[in-house]
Amino acid sequence: MIIVMKGSAPKADVEHVIKLIEEMGYQSHVIWGTQRTVIGAVGDERGKARLQSLEVLPNVESVVPILQPFKLAGREFKSTPSVVKVGNVEIGGDKIVVIAGPCTVESEELLMDIARLAKEAGATILRGGAFKPRTSPYAFQGMGKEGLRLLALAREETGLAIVTEVMKPEDVDLIAETADMLQIGARNVQNFALLKRCGEVGKPVLLKRGMSSTIQEFLMAAEYILSEGNYNVVLCERGIRTFETATRFTLDLNAVPVLKKLSHLPVIVDPSHGTGHWEYVSPMAKAGVACGADGLMVEMHMRPEMAVSDGIQSLKPEMFRQLMKELGPFCRAAGRSL
Ligand code: PEP
Ligand code: MN
């Protein structure tokens, strides 16, 4: 349920309503607005009638049900788009944010070269997995702690914010000490213990859509993080499984306007995993901007032929520079800047 307070409601009345909601056994989530404050009461649906009675209070304007199952991620709770701050970078504002870097952190020299290039070409966030979810247990699993150290080094030199993947709830604290943003990968989108832990820690989260997740399941995964009080969630469309085999996944760009309509959370597009081939990355990156995404996540490598993972979908330096140049007009056409 949403409790909409009157525009003139003093803070004490809002706090009184919060107290009553919590006494009834509900979680309260407050959006302090300039026009009016709204309070989301989230919990057992069966107690709706009791919440409805809050309408008798003097500064309560209305008590309305939230119809969608994603209570906090949806537009019913918050009608205006959210902006998520990652270091000094804002995702969901006027600017299209480009996150770039290797699939995996491989070595200091390589990561530094990639970070310098990303920065110089106009990216603002550096990506790179230190802990990698690999389909095969025999494949390289990432550099772990040493990878985090290298990411921190790259941030120190370039000023880029960093995002890196977290796979287990017990790793969240360690990774959150270094990362500016925690990535939850497609394979972990329904790892509910991980989602909750990332919600508790409060760091911005980049949540990737599962390759078999419906849009509703994807938003319910985001809801797990929000319900722990962490509203700094960015959704990432990264391709789904279909019958098509010509590309690694099918980048579901339909999801971008649908997510934008249903949710206030920022949405970015990952054309690297979405296509699985470097040749298709640039056109689909542009398409992502054109259909309303707030940013892009692109894999890039100095020597993709030598990459330990996802080399085939990684852009070479000159291709990445070219993409960044070509993106400008698309961003402007979409009413944004780069
Ligand atoms: C990645 O970003 O390198 C990755 C593993 O992505 P996804 O979880 O989308 O497969
Ligand atoms: Mn990858």
Side-chain angles (χ1 to χ4, degrees):
M1 300 290 261
I2 301 173
I3 294 91
V4 183
M5 302 298 294
K6 287 188 179 148
S8 54
K11 195 165 175 225
D13 283 6
V14 177
E15 279 164 356
H16 181 58
V17 173
I18 293 171
K19 188 167 158 272
L20 292 176
I21 289 172
E22 291 176 356
E23 277 171 9
M24 289 183 207
Y26 287 84
Q27 271 184 359
S28 62
H29 296 265
V30 190
I31 303 177
W32 298 94
T34 44
Q35 306 286 331
R36 54 168 48 87
T37 292
V38 300
I39 308 163
V42 182
D44 192 339
E45 296 279 302
R46 290 169 296 185
K48 269 185 189 170
R50 287 186 70 204
L51 287 168
Q52 200 82 53
S53 63
L54 294 175
E55 231 169 43
V56 303
L57 292 171
N59 270 311
V60 172
E61 190 170 278
S62 60
V63 179
V64 287
I66 305 180
L67 300 175
Q68 296 281 19
F70 33 87
K71 307 291 176 198
L72 303 171
R75 290 262 185 183
E76 286 175 285
F77 174 55
K78 183 170 184 283
S79 57
T80 55
S82 291
V83 174
V84 171
K85 219 165 166 231
V86 181
N88 293 322
V89 181
E90 288 188 340
I91 306 182
D94 288 339
K95 284 196 168 176
I96 298 289
V97 171
V98 177
I99 304 173
C103 180
T104 306
V105 178
E106 297 175 31
S107 73
E108 179 171 339
E109 191 195 350
L110 196 60
L111 187 69
M112 288 314 222
D113 285 348
I114 292 173
R116 286 180 200 119
L117 172 70
K119 165 92 182 184
E120 171 211 306
T124 47
I125 303 179
L126 176 68
R127 61 149 289 145
F131 296 85
K132 292 299 299 178
R134 304 304 301 276
T135 302
S136 164
Y138 310 119
F140 180 59
Q141 306 284 311
M143 292 181 86
K145 268 190 184 176
E146 174 61 5
L148 296 177
R149 189 185 70 81
L150 298 182
L151 285 165
L153 213 61
R155 172 178 50 204
E156 213 173 288
E157 188 191 306
T158 60
L160 294 170
I162 57 181
V163 58
T164 195
E165 183 159 354
V166 54
M167 296 194 296
K168 299 200 296 264
E170 54 271 36
D171 289 347
V172 171
D173 288 315
L174 172 78
I175 296 174
E177 270 174 34
T178 303
D180 298 296
M181 184 179 221
L182 303 169
Q183 177 173 328
I184 299 179
R187 290 156 192 82
N188 272 311
V189 69
Q190 287 191 321
N191 180 340
F192 300 116
L194 179 64
L195 295 168
K196 280 190 181 183
R197 188 72 200 111
C198 288
E200 285 162 9
V201 163
K203 273 260 154 121
V205 175
L206 178 63
L207 181 65
K208 292 189 119 188
R209 181 179 181 184
M211 57 191 85
S212 308
S213 301
T214 63
I215 288 173
Q216 177 156 322
E217 286 163 346
F218 187 24
L219 287 171
M220 291 311 285
E223 188 75 13
Y224 265 89
I225 305 169
L226 270 66
S227 70
E228 295 297 330
N230 182 358
Y231 308 126
N232 300 309
V233 177
V234 174
L235 305 169
C236 179
E237 166 56 43
R238 51 76 72 207
I240 54 172
R241 278 259 157 85
T242 66
F243 54 80
E244 185 53 73
T245 54
T247 48
R248 185 179 179 190
F249 294 99
T250 296
L251 187 63
D252 178 18
L253 290 184
N254 287 352
V256 177
V258 175
L259 288 168
K260 285 273 170 192
K261 180 178 169 187
L262 295 176
S263 175
H264 54 87
L265 298 173
V267 179
I268 71 163
V269 164
D270 172 352
S272 306
H273 294 85
T275 62
H277 200 279
W278 62 269
E279 263 184 296
Y280 311 135
V281 169
S282 175
M284 295 316 284
K286 292 166 189 163
V289 171
C291 70
D294 298 296
L296 298 168
M297 174 143 169
V298 176
E299 286 187 339
M300 185 258 279
H301 200 281
M302 305 313 280
R303 289 178 299 281
E305 66 283 5
M306 305 290 281
V308 299
S309 60
D310 289 349
I312 194 163
Q313 67 193 33
S314 299
L315 296 183
K316 288 183 184 161
E318 64 273 20
M319 291 170 191
F320 181 67
R321 280 194 205 102
Q322 183 72 18
L323 168 61
M324 292 301 285
K325 270 193 214 130
E326 291 174 2
L327 271 180
F330 285 88
C331 296
R332 287 192 288 282
R336 314 290 280 270
S337 62
L338 191 58

